[in-house]
Amino acid sequence: MARMTGDEKHGPAATSTLDALWVLYDRVLRVSPATADAPGRDRFLLSKGHGPMAYYAVLAAKGFFPEAWLPGFGSFDSPLGHHPDRTLIPGVEISSGSLGHGLPLAVGTALGLRALGLTDPNVWVLIGDAELDEGSNHEAIAYAGPAGVERLHTLVIDNSSATHGWPGGIASRFEAAGWSAQTVDGRDHEALHAAYIAPHPGRPRAVVARVEPKND
């Protein structure tokens, strides 16, 4: 990540996600460069697209594109923009960065796969705690729980940048809508992994990864 350049790197937005992303891609997601277009792959949607440096670093480390692309981040002729573009970067499922879009898209993706009879793929979406200021996310949370969208997993990176809060913490917001939810240390790889693979029959899953507060 330190090799990357660019005037608007959104450093805290990226570094806050690095451990959570690495554990997800290294131990959990069933997707690789060879299966990036396979119907049965797991889907990962980065809703927190305004800080994609860690995402790019992990994708490069996993072989989705050459590491030689990284130093050109944000430059005029680089495919690695300040927001990820699904038409330019292998392995990227959605073009993102506008807050509040990723979780609704993930709900639709999970429902679409179910309608097609593809019951094995898991759908993961990473959002920031500040994205929960957006009403579109609350509509998605309120729908997915009662609908029992079991293959849906939401990873919330909590770096204390949200305007609003909830009694009992972010996980309580998901639990109130019928989700399985857990809060863990976002730098603890073993805790992240255990939370990712915890069973949650009949319910969508939310993992809130708490990291150090954002300081700008």
Side-chain angles (χ1 to χ4, degrees), residues 108-119 143 147-151:
T109 299
L111 291 174
L113 290 170
R114 189 164 71 180
L116 291 171
L118 295 170
T119 57
Y143 175 83
V149 188
E150 184 177 353
R151 292 296 180 178

Side-chain angles (χ1 to χ4, degrees), residues 124-181:
W124 286 81
V125 58
L126 186 151
I127 69 175
D129 62 318
E131 287 194 75
L132 291 174
D133 292 344
E134 301 291 338
S136 54
N137 280 323
H138 293 279
E139 292 181 8
I141 292 168
Y143 175 83
V149 188
E150 184 177 353
R151 292 296 180 178
L152 174 64
H153 305 75
T154 300
L155 172 57
V156 184
I157 303 298
D158 181 7
N159 64 355
S160 302
S161 59
T163 302
H164 308 297
W166 298 267
I170 291 173
S172 67
R173 172 65 187 89
F174 287 86
E175 290 170 340
W179 291 55
S180 166

Side-chain angles (χ1 to χ4, degrees), residues 31-163:
V31 65
S32 67
T35 62
D37 295 319
R41 72 189 183 280
D42 286 347
R43 272 73 167 173
F44 172 76
L45 283 58
L46 181 72
S47 185
K48 191 179 169 77
H50 58 287
M53 287 192 301
Y55 184 40
Y56 293 158
V58 170
L59 287 176
K62 290 299 180 181
F64 286 89
F65 59 79
E67 291 186 24
W69 286 12
L70 295 176
F73 166 72
S75 61
F76 175 76
D77 58 352
S78 173
L80 306 181
H82 295 294
H83 293 193
D85 187 330
R86 65 179 299 274
T87 68
L88 299 178
I89 308 170
V92 172
E93 296 280 358
I94 61 169
S95 301
S96 60
S98 182
L99 301 185
H101 286 180
L103 181 51
L105 286 172
V107 173
T109 299
L111 291 174
L113 290 170
R114 189 164 71 180
L116 291 171
L118 295 170
T119 57
D120 289 333
N122 288 307
V123 178
W124 286 81
V125 58
L126 186 151
I127 69 175
D129 62 318
E131 287 194 75
L132 291 174
D133 292 344
E134 301 291 338
S136 54
N137 280 323
H138 293 279
E139 292 181 8
I141 292 168
Y143 175 83
V149 188
E150 184 177 353
R151 292 296 180 178
L152 174 64
H153 305 75
T154 300
L155 172 57
V156 184
I157 303 298
D158 181 7
N159 64 355
S160 302
S161 59
T163 302

Side-chain angles (χ1 to χ4, degrees), residues 5 9 18 78:
T5 60
K9 293 185 290 186
L18 182 57
S78 173

